[in-house]
Amino acid sequence: MESTSQTSLFERLKESLDSLRKSERKVAELVTEDPTFVMESSMSAVAARAGVSEPTVMRFCTGLGFDGFQAFKLALAQALILGVPSVESAMNRGDSVAELASKIFDQTISSIDRSRRFLDPDQMEQAVTAILGSRALVFIGLSASGLIAQDALQKAQLFGIPCSAPSDTHQQFMAAAMTDPETTFVVISNTGRTRSTMRVAEMARSRGATVIGISGDDDTPMMRVCDVKIVAKTFENTDIYTPTVSRLAGLVVIDILSTAVSLRRGEAHFADFEAMKAGLAGYARMSDRETDSGSASFD
Amino acid sequence: MESTSQTSLFERLKESLDSLRKSERKVAELVTEDPTFVMESSMSAVAARAGVSEPTVMRFCTGLGFDGFQAFKLALAQALILGVPSVESAMNRGDSVAELASKIFDQTISSIDRSRRFLDPDQMEQAVTAILGSRALVFIGLSASGLIAQDALQKAQLFGIPCSAPSDTHQQFMAAAMTDPETTFVVISNTGRTRSTMRVAEMARSRGATVIGISGDDDTPMMRVCDVKIVAKTFENTDIYTPTVSRLAGLVVIDILSTAVSLRRGEAHFADFEAMKAGLAGYARMSDRETDSGSASFD
DNA sequence: GTGGATTTGGTAGTAATACTACATAATTAA
DNA sequence: TTAATTATGTAGTATTACTACCAAATCCAC
């Protein structure tokens, strides 16, 4: 049985590379070099190109915890569609737009998959109950994380309790300084080291508010002062021209939280929601099309 | 060869269901019912459980355009990790947070995969050249699409040309009414029917500006007045409690555009970027950690 | 209806593939 | 240097995917 652990196949392969035997390593290298070939080839072909015998390939597969070559190939196929390892997907100047798009989609999907595997359900659960039990919500973030905060605000406004997402640092701090124990703060920072966001978190905490932290890592200064710690881990390449995929993971976390909260608020709230949606439909839609409140979402 | 067309395996299976022969349909039904079983079983096992002979299974695979059963299984494995078909992933009140998270991740990943397959490289290319050739940029959107516009603004500010993303409708219209042929407007609306956004697009167009549209569909009123049409297609369920995945697809499109534009602007711009990043690092980071401008991204 | 033609499904056989038991080579330790 | 242990390859087997061929069913003209 393959352990459906947190790490993806390629990561697992990489870290177990030095614990492998010499000839098995050849197989591992072939897999990382040309995974597509391995995926669509037979065991004999793989063995031949790696310069080893077939049982070695077999041992390589079972050694990684798979039932056999076939099972490994399936896992490889799945890992492959979540994006090729970042080595190949580095972007360079000569790339066509189509190539860029392909690489960015690869990175995006595999990053989201990664954040999925790292997301702690317990912390999410705690976050949901905290939100459900509070009388007001405040979302805090800057730049990319600020957008996540704004997005969260848009969704949280449907919860039926006062919520805000001040965008400049002074207003953020003021909100924290004036808060109370019945308010929940959601502080967002991918790095977890944004100074002003940290100060807001500390202040809110000291005022007795519940503080939920969303960050790319669990051991950051900001997270240490949070009651609930939600980790949205991504590949976030340090490369300059790499798009910031962290915000996408953050947005998915917001999706999950808001959906969970909405579901637990029950029918009464549901009716309000419908009314709001119907009103919005008449607002900004074209008149030559039927303004069906159902099929249209928010923009 | 399997046609790596726009439609995913399950969609393809569904639409070719009535063009299949009686016994092959049994196989198709088994695949949709219990894809995991099919994936990890041999042909004989599949044939037995479907109540048909092995060659029928074989014909089923080749009929769908695959080289054989193995190739089909690989494709199935890949389709499977992109999320089970949406029927099963409907959310209901009794779901635990973990289940919700799983379903939302499923939907998100498969939606992004879908938008990838529908994205037209030519239009993207045109968008990039349009942006590179313009002297100013304006991003327009409301609510969820407004966030995409803000995100685009954050990235576009690194291009070194004036850019803005007015957030209220009046300011948006004013920007369009005062624009010139050297400006490019990026108008964003998932539905493509947001009236005010459409009016902005029309006005900008009539003033001679280049208008790039980003929408969830290519045949919407808004798209008709756009010079460049970028389709970010998703599954966007009409269900109320379904999270809006469309914005994620939009953000990925922005990622691609901004990365492509950055890459084509060359070295001079690169230096500016580094300086900005270094400055930003000293700004908002903690002092107890080394403020490495490289490893930190934007928030 | 009936006989011919065509489509649809299954049987049996073959080539290949994955997997296993065993033996030899390499490496390490005594 | 030799014994023990580990690592790798050889040879063989059982399974699996695939193919050629045949039978049943369906369709259509008369």
Side-chain angles (χ1 to χ4, degrees):
Chain A
M1 275 268 79
E2 71 276 26
S3 58
T4 323
S5 67
Q6 291 184 329
T7 52
S8 81
L9 180 62
F10 284 110
E11 294 177 76
R12 200 139 45 105
L13 219 152
K14 202 172 166 186
E15 61 193 33
S16 70
L17 202 104
D18 42 358
S19 71
L20 285 176
R21 304 186 250 265
K22 219 186 318 180
S23 61
E24 288 182 22
R25 195 174 308 168
K26 289 184 192 171
V27 183
E29 280 162 8
L30 177 62
V31 173
T32 46
E33 261 175 42
D34 196 349
T36 316
F37 168 80
V38 176
M39 189 191 76
E40 55 195 20
S41 303
S42 72
M43 213 166 98
S44 57
V46 172
R49 223 185 109 175
V52 296
S53 70
E54 294 178 30
T56 303
V57 178
M58 185 67 194
R59 274 188 286 264
F60 165 78
C61 296
T62 53
L64 257 82
F66 294 99
D67 286 337
F69 183 63
Q70 299 266 38
F72 173 75
K73 267 172 64 172
L74 285 179
L76 185 62
Q78 295 189 329
L80 218 56
I81 206 166
L82 292 176
V84 225
S86 52
V87 206
E88 290 190 40
S89 68
M91 282 155 255
N92 30 29
R93 191 141 301 164
D95 282 349
S96 72
V97 176
E99 283 171 318
L100 276 176
S102 176
K103 288 176 179 176
I104 288 173
F105 270 111
D106 271 351
Q107 284 196 358
T108 303
I109 292 181
S110 56
S111 282
I112 290 178
D113 179 64
R114 185 180 161 88
S115 73
R116 159 191 225 150
R117 281 180 278 110
F118 273 93
L119 196 67
D120 184 353
D122 293 338
Q123 296 293 315
M124 292 295 282
E125 183 74 55
Q126 283 187 41
V128 171
T129 48
I131 292 171
L132 282 171
S134 54
R135 286 164 49 89
L137 289 171
V138 182
F139 300 96
I140 303 292
L142 285 177
S143 66
S145 299
L147 285 178
I148 300 178
Q150 296 303 321
D151 182 73
L153 175 67
Q154 285 190 6
K155 289 192 159 30
Q157 274 163 346
L158 308 173
F159 293 167
I161 55 173
C163 45
S164 63
S167 54
D168 79 66
T169 50
H170 288 191
Q171 285 183 40
Q172 289 174 350
F173 189 79
M174 281 159 60
M178 305 296 286
T179 195
D180 58 86
E182 291 185 309
T183 299
T184 295
F185 269 64
V186 180
V187 294
I188 310 163
S189 168
N190 179 47
T191 60
R193 309 189 189 292
T194 312
R195 185 184 257 167
S196 74
T197 305
M198 284 178 50
R199 286 190 60 199
V200 171
E202 281 166 359
M203 175 54 86
R205 184 79 184 274
S206 73
R207 295 278 302 176
T210 308
V211 180
I212 301 172
I214 301 180
S215 176
D217 202 27
D218 58 348
D219 189 37
T220 61
M222 187 193 82
M223 286 296 241
R224 272 175 227 132
V225 299
C226 293
D227 299 291
V228 183
K229 305 171 214 292
I230 297 175
V231 179
K233 214 163 199 137
T234 62
F235 283 121
E236 196 70 39
N237 204 320
T238 57
D239 192 337
I240 299 214
Y241 287 131
T242 300
T244 51
V245 285
S246 62
R247 68 209 157 116
L248 296 179
L251 289 172
V252 178
V253 168
I254 296 299
D255 274 345
I256 296 167
L257 288 179
S258 67
T259 307
V261 170
S262 293
L263 279 176
R264 304 230 171 143
R265 287 189 81 83
E267 295 294 344
H269 164 249
F270 180 90
D272 292 349
F273 189 100
E274 268 299 336
M276 184 282 300
K277 212 167 179 179
L280 195 66
Y283 209 119
R285 293 286 128 61
M286 280 202 73
S287 43
D288 60 10
R289 277 256 187 174
E290 71 279 15
T291 57
D292 50 343
S293 71
S295 76
S297 60
F298 291 93
D299 71 318
Chain B
M1 272 268 80
E2 71 275 28
S3 58
T4 323
S5 69
Q6 291 183 331
T7 51
S8 82
L9 180 62
F10 284 109
E11 294 178 74
R12 198 137 47 105
L13 218 151
K14 202 172 167 187
E15 61 192 32
S16 70
L17 203 105
D18 43 356
S19 72
L20 285 176
R21 304 186 249 265
K22 219 187 315 181
S23 61
E24 287 182 22
R25 196 177 305 171
K26 288 184 193 169
V27 183
E29 278 162 8
L30 177 62
V31 172
T32 45
E33 259 174 43
D34 196 349
T36 317
F37 168 79
V38 176
M39 189 190 75
E40 54 195 21
S41 304
S42 73
M43 214 166 97
S44 57
V46 172
R49 224 186 109 177
V52 296
S53 71
E54 295 179 29
T56 302
V57 179
M58 185 67 193
R59 276 188 285 264
F60 165 79
C61 296
T62 53
L64 258 83
F66 295 98
D67 286 338
F69 183 63
Q70 300 265 38
F72 172 75
K73 267 172 65 172
L74 285 179
L76 184 62
Q78 296 189 329
L80 217 57
I81 206 166
L82 290 178
V84 234
S86 54
V87 206
E88 292 190 38
S89 68
M91 282 156 256
N92 32 27
R93 192 144 299 166
D95 283 348
S96 71
V97 176
E99 284 170 318
L100 275 177
S102 177
K103 288 176 180 177
I104 288 174
F105 270 112
D106 270 351
Q107 284 196 359
T108 303
I109 291 182
S110 55
S111 282
I112 291 180
D113 180 63
R114 184 179 163 88
S115 72
R116 160 192 223 148
R117 281 180 279 108
F118 273 94
L119 197 67
D120 184 353
D122 293 338
Q123 296 293 315
M124 291 296 281
E125 183 74 56
Q126 283 186 40
V128 171
T129 48
I131 292 171
L132 282 171
S134 56
R135 286 164 49 89
L137 289 171
V138 182
F139 300 96
I140 304 292
L142 285 178
S143 68
S145 299
L147 285 178
I148 300 177
Q150 296 303 321
D151 182 73
L153 176 66
Q154 284 189 10
K155 289 191 161 28
Q157 274 162 344
L158 308 172
F159 293 168
I161 55 174
C163 45
S164 64
S167 53
D168 78 66
T169 50
H170 289 191
Q171 285 183 40
Q172 289 174 350
F173 189 79
M174 282 159 62
M178 304 295 287
T179 194
D180 58 86
E182 291 186 308
T183 299
T184 294
F185 269 65
V186 180
V187 293
I188 310 165
S189 168
N190 180 47
T191 60
R193 310 191 188 288
T194 312
R195 186 183 257 168
S196 74
T197 305
M198 283 178 49
R199 286 189 60 199
V200 170
E202 282 165 0
M203 176 52 86
R205 185 79 185 273
S206 74
R207 296 277 302 174
T210 306
V211 179
I212 301 173
I214 301 180
S215 175
D217 203 27
D218 58 348
D219 190 37
T220 60
M222 187 193 81
M223 287 296 240
R224 273 175 226 131
V225 298
C226 294
D227 299 291
V228 183
K229 306 171 214 293
I230 297 176
V231 179
K233 213 162 200 137
T234 62
F235 283 122
E236 196 71 38
N237 205 319
T238 58
D239 192 338
I240 299 214
Y241 287 130
T242 299
T244 49
V245 284
S246 61
R247 69 208 155 117
L248 296 179
L251 289 172
V252 178
V253 168
I254 296 298
D255 274 345
I256 296 168
L257 287 180
S258 67
T259 308
V261 170
S262 292
L263 279 175
R264 306 231 169 143
R265 287 190 78 83
E267 295 294 342
H269 163 250
F270 181 91
D272 292 349
F273 189 101
E274 267 300 334
M276 184 281 301
K277 213 167 179 181
L280 194 68
Y283 208 120
R285 293 286 129 62
M286 281 202 74
S287 43
D288 62 10
R289 277 258 188 171
E290 69 281 13
T291 57
D292 49 342
S293 69
S295 77
S297 59
F298 292 92
D299 73 314

